[in-house]
C-alpha cells in the first residue's frame, strides 16, 4: 500500500487523523502547513498578511511536491487540493488521496472558538461565508480523491482504522 494523503476542508480533522494513521502504520507524519511554517519562519496567518495568499500558494505547491516523495502520512492544508496545479500532481501521483468529509454542522463546531482565528482564509468571514466556501470546494476535493471518508461522530482512531480497512 502506498502511503495515504489526507485532503479536506478546514476543520475536517486532517491533522489529528493523520497523526493517528501514522501511529497505527508506524510511518512518520507530516503536516504540510507545519512544514511550510518551519520553512518560512512565520505562522501562516503572518505570512498571509505580509505576503498574501498567492505567495503562500506558490510555497504550498512547491512543498507539496517535496512531501509527496517523502516516506510519510501527509495531511494537506484545506486549500491544497483545490489549486489546479496541485490537483494535477495529486491525481498523477500513485499515493491514495483520502478526502475527510464532515457535515456543515461538524465543520462549524470544529472551527468555532480560537481555531477560526488561526485561519486567514476565514478572516472577516461569517458562518454563511464559511459554508459557501466549503460548498464551492466540494467538487474540487471530489475530483482529486480516491476515497471519501465521512467523519461525523467518529473518533480519530475510528477514522484511521476505517481508512486502513478501505485501502
Ligand atoms: C487554508 C487552510 C489551512 C492553511 C491555510 C489555507 C485554506 O489549512 O493551509 O490557512 O485555504 O483552506 P487547514 O485546513 O489545516 O486549516
Amino acid at each position: 500500500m502506498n502511503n495515504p494523503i489526507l485532503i479536506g476542508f478546514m476543520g475536517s480533522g486532517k491533522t489529528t487523523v493523520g497523526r493517528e494513521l501514522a501511529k497505527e502504520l508506524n510511518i512518520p507524519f507530516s503536516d504540510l502547513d507545519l512544514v511550510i511554517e518551519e520553512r518560512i519562519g512565520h505562522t501562516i496567518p503572518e505570512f498571509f498578511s505580509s505576503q498574501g495568499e498567492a505567495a503562500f500558494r506558490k510555497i504550498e505547491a512547491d512543498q507539496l511536491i517535496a512531501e509527496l516523495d517523502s516516506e510519510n502520512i501527509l495531511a494537506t492544508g484545506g486549500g491544497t487540493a483545490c489549486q489546479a496545479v496541485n490537483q494535477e500532481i495529486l491525481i498523477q501521483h500513485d499515493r491514495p488521496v483520502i478526502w475527510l468529509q464532515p457535515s456543515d454542522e461538524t465543520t462549524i463546531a470544529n472551527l468555532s472558538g480560537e481555531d477560526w482565528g488561526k485561519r486567514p482564509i476565514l478572516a472577516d468571514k461569517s458562518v454563511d461565508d464559511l459554508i459557501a466556501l466549503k460548498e464551492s470546494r466540494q467538487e474540487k476535493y471530489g475530483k482529486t480523491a480516491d476515497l471519501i471518508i465521512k467523519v461525523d461522530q467518529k473518533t480519530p482512531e475510528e477514522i484511521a482504522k476505517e481508512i486502513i480497512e478501505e485501502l
Side-chain angles (χ1 to χ4, degrees):
M1 175 184 86
N2 288 319
N3 297 330
I5 297 163
L6 302 177
I7 66 166
F9 198 69
M10 293 167 276
S12 59
K14 301 177 295 292
T15 301
T16 31
V17 171
R19 282 194 209 286
E20 191 56 38
L21 203 50
K23 200 170 88 187
E24 287 282 330
L25 296 171
N26 203 19
I27 296 168
F29 171 67
S30 187
D31 182 296
L32 190 59
D33 285 336
L34 294 180
V35 176
I36 292 171
E37 286 187 334
E38 276 169 28
R39 172 172 164 178
I40 60 184
H42 292 280
T43 65
I44 290 174
E46 283 166 0
F47 192 77
F48 260 68
S49 65
S50 65
Q51 309 290 320
E53 181 176 351
F56 171 76
R57 296 298 174 199
K58 277 192 192 138
I59 295 178
E60 181 183 49
D62 185 57
Q63 197 62 44
L64 174 67
I65 293 168
E67 295 303 317
L68 282 180
D69 290 329
S70 302
E71 175 76 4
N72 59 27
I73 300 293
L74 178 63
T76 59
T80 312
C82 304
Q83 314 303 312
V85 60
N86 297 340
Q87 287 181 326
E88 289 302 311
I89 293 165
L90 287 167
I91 290 167
Q92 275 165 27
H93 213 279
D94 52 8
R95 292 178 62 172
V97 176
I98 321 284
W99 174 14
L100 299 187
Q101 199 185 62
S103 64
D104 291 350
E105 292 70 26
T106 298
T107 302
I108 294 164
N110 287 353
L111 289 172
S112 57
E114 69 172 41
D115 275 8
W116 191 284
K118 286 185 198 152
R119 270 79 177 198
I121 290 283
L122 298 181
D124 307 322
K125 294 261 192 330
S126 65
V127 168
D128 285 349
D129 295 334
L130 169 80
I131 298 310
L133 178 64
K134 180 171 178 272
E135 200 51 48
S136 74
R137 288 179 167 184
Q138 299 293 91
E139 197 191 328
K140 295 170 182 163
Y141 295 130
K143 186 182 163 197
T144 315
D146 298 304
L147 176 67
I148 299 173
I149 300 281
K150 294 198 180 294
V151 299
D152 280 13
Q153 268 119 36
K154 294 176 190 166
T155 64
E157 292 81 1
E158 287 167 341
I159 299 167
K161 289 209 167 76
E162 192 175 329
I163 292 171
I164 293 167
E165 276 166 22
E166 293 282 343
L167 287 178

